[in-house]
Amino acid sequence: MAGFTGSHRVPYIVLRAMRRPLFVLVAVYAASMLGWRLIPGPDGVPLSFFHAFYFLAYTATTTGFGEIPYLYTDLQRMWAIVSLYAGVIAWVYAIGAIIQLIQNPHFQQALAERGFAKRVAMLTEPFVIVCGFGNRGSLLTRGLSDAGLAAVILDRDPDRIHAVKLRDYAVPAEALCADARIPERLIKAGLLRSQCRAVVALTDDEDVNAKVALAARLLNPHARVIAQLTRDEYEETLATLGGDIHIVDPFHTFARYLGATIHNPLIHMLNEWLIGAPNANLAMYADVPRGKWILCGFGRLGRAIHATLQELGISTVVIGSGIPPTEANGRDIIAGRINQKNLRAAGIEDAAGIVVGTDSDSDNLGTVLNARALNPRIFVLVRQNQHRNQVLFDAARADLIMQPTLVSARRILFLLTAPLLRTFFNEIRESQAKGHNEFLLSVIRDLHDTVGGRAAPRLWTVRVEEEQAPALAQLLDEGHAITFDDILSDPADRNRRVACVPLVIRSQGAIRVMPDIDHRILRGDEILFCGRSQAYRLVDATLANPYTLRYLMTGVEEPRSLVLRWLVRRHAAASRAPAERLSADG
């Protein structure tokens, strides 16, 4: 049936399904017309083909028009009865075939693909192809919509596709129930179009993600590919393809994130605030204690967390079922269920913290309650697997709640919308590794004073070119020297600065984190801003309006209308005239 799913074959499918009913209709009407042409009337002359067709037309359509050339003979009336009943049967057969065709799921799929391909072809703005609309895909699509990017979604689950149509996205998303592994589906989703910014493979099956990444890379070598993969063999295979391929491992991402949180809670606080986490505040962070930690769960995530804590020099005791005997012999590993007995054996009474990270939310919540019952002062970090259980985890009052799906979705989102954010945090981590805590503190202080510690920040990237910053590009081409102080001034009061901070600027291949306010901007620069939503609108308007930008640079508001500009030129000419006459007389 694969041949019936191509959207370009919809006319062929219709003709193939309707060929027999159409043949029956044609045969019935042809036989009827032939009968009328052969049966003689009262005067011995039969109806012509035209009058026979005319009679069948108004009887078959139930018009009931009663015009007849003369009274029919009994034989003609008998043939009329046969013709009418045969026509009714043929029409019932044809209508039944049409209904059967419409209800055919393969035909519906072909129609859906045809409409989907047409809608995608009409997209004129950049979009991202998201393969998989589970928790991660749903969170990513929401983030893309909030950032003004359209998403084109492929998923094999029809319920998820139906759910897309009910979401209130700011930017509508196109969705199709289809297997993303089939290259034709990726092409219909717009893979070969210039507006396709990236292909993101986020299904629950890593084989599918690897095949999607491979197909996208081969079909469009210029498209950015992001795939969620945890196995090393996939990473090695995709690495040989080259190109712009990013592999997201949610377990290692989660482990690194946890390690950074334990190492320096300020980084966690800054990260949570920048990504817009609920209740994030630049003036408040969790004080993660040092000491022995208990790690509950030793799967792929547990092993990644264990390795990260070992790198940080943090003493750990692991509790988990399914641990091989060769590993369970160590003193810091307890093979078995996570219950109060094993928690006591792990020394929970004097532990500083516990990481509850199994893949079962109910087990994790039960372990949190047990841990708190045995040690009320222990620092609890718990893994939340399902987003719908948010209320339960909030009620458990853990010190930190981490959702791997949310961590992965946010990482991919910022890879797409704010790729320089990674550079920003790398710079902070390097300064931390060198023991320079002052840099991190100065960043937090600047963001707190300019944007506001309790405000919801917005991150956006601007490339200094005609499409994104036409006014800035125009004035730079005219030779003006423009700095951040110019573009970040408030148009209502140029002595006041908008609530916005440039986090990173990439200029001529060089990266500068937290550039100075008097840093000179060049054409082609890529800038990552952080500010309030109102500041985003003001800066965006400034970068698009040369009059506003000139006013912010010079303090002189130029006339915008033709009449005002003509009056200004005339006044200037009139002012120069006396001086020129005096000069000529002298």
Side-chain angles (χ1 to χ4, degrees), residues 48-94:
S48 65
F49 277 114
F50 174 74
H51 286 99
F53 177 75
Y54 176 65
F55 173 78
L56 290 172
Y58 70 68
T59 52
T61 57
T62 68
T63 304
F65 186 53
E67 180 191 2
I68 54 177
Y70 47 75
L71 291 177
Y72 291 148
T73 64
D74 290 344
L75 187 57
Q76 283 181 314
R77 288 175 178 171
M78 181 59 69
W79 186 247
I81 293 173
V82 173
S83 301
L84 292 175
Y85 279 104
V88 169
I89 293 173
W91 273 111
V92 169
Y93 176 54

Side-chain angles (χ1 to χ4, degrees), residues 214-243:
L214 179 63
R217 178 72 183 88
L218 293 176
L219 291 174
N220 187 355
H222 304 292
R224 168 179 280 188
V225 179
I226 302 174
Q228 176 182 292
L229 297 168
T230 60
R231 299 177 188 169
D232 294 338
E233 58 265 28
Y234 290 134
E235 186 172 356
E236 294 172 358
T237 301
L238 295 179
T240 59
L241 298 176

Side-chain angles (χ1 to χ4, degrees), residues 105-338:
H106 298 286
F107 181 68
Q108 293 175 355
Q109 176 68 15
L111 284 178
E113 287 185 22
R114 187 184 181 90
F116 172 77
K118 286 184 176 179
R119 292 192 298 274
V120 171
M122 295 173 64
L123 293 176
T124 57
E125 300 295 329
F127 61 86
V128 176
I129 300 175
V130 179
C131 302
F133 196 67
N135 287 334
R136 293 180 183 85
S138 176
L139 292 168
L140 176 61
T141 303
R142 172 66 66 184
L144 292 172
S145 173
D146 293 342
L149 269 177
V152 177
I153 301 167
L154 297 176
D155 196 296
R156 298 180 64 180
D157 188 342
D159 292 336
R160 291 177 176 177
I161 297 301
H162 292 154
V164 174
K165 301 175 182 176
L166 301 179
R167 303 291 172 86
D168 57 338
Y169 294 129
V171 180
E174 300 297 339
L176 177 68
C177 182
D179 189 345
R181 290 174 297 181
I182 301 175
E184 184 186 0
R185 305 298 188 275
L186 290 173
I187 294 174
K188 284 187 171 60
L191 174 61
L192 303 183
R193 299 197 60 203
S194 59
Q195 291 86 356
C196 179
R197 181 169 290 186
V199 178
V200 183
L202 284 178
T203 71
D204 298 329
D205 188 336
E206 294 199 358
D207 288 336
V208 174
N209 293 341
K211 291 178 180 176
V212 169
L214 179 63
R217 178 72 183 88
L218 293 176
L219 291 174
N220 187 355
H222 304 292
R224 168 179 280 188
V225 179
I226 302 174
Q228 176 182 292
L229 297 168
T230 60
R231 299 177 188 169
D232 294 338
E233 58 265 28
Y234 290 134
E235 186 172 356
E236 294 172 358
T237 301
L238 295 179
T240 59
L241 298 176
D244 194 0
I245 295 182
H246 296 268
I247 297 176
V248 176
D249 183 340
F251 303 125
H252 284 91
T253 301
F254 181 79
R256 286 197 298 270
Y257 187 65
L258 172 62
T261 301
I262 294 176
H263 180 69
N264 192 335
L266 286 176
I267 296 180
H268 168 74
M269 177 192 70
L270 178 59
N271 182 72
E272 290 288 293
W273 182 79
L274 283 175
I275 63 178
N279 303 320
N281 188 341
L282 275 182
M284 181 176 66
Y285 59 89
D287 189 10
V288 183
R290 289 280 183 158
K292 182 177 71 177
W293 280 67
I294 297 175
L295 177 58
C296 300
F298 206 51
R300 286 180 292 179
L301 176 62
R303 293 176 187 276
I305 294 176
H306 182 259
T308 300
L309 296 182
Q310 292 292 311
E311 290 176 0
L312 294 173
I314 297 175
S315 172
T316 58
V317 178
V318 176
I319 306 175
S321 56
I323 301 175
T326 53
E327 296 181 280
N329 292 330
R331 290 183 303 172
D332 57 349
I333 295 181
I334 300 175
R337 297 187 59 188
I338 305 170

Side-chain angles (χ1 to χ4, degrees), residues 28 38 96 163 179 183 215 237 250 268 292 320 334 451 482 488 535 557 574:
V28 167
L38 296 176
D179 189 345
T237 301
H268 168 74
K292 182 177 71 177
I334 300 175
V451 182
I482 304 174
L488 297 183
E557 189 167 3

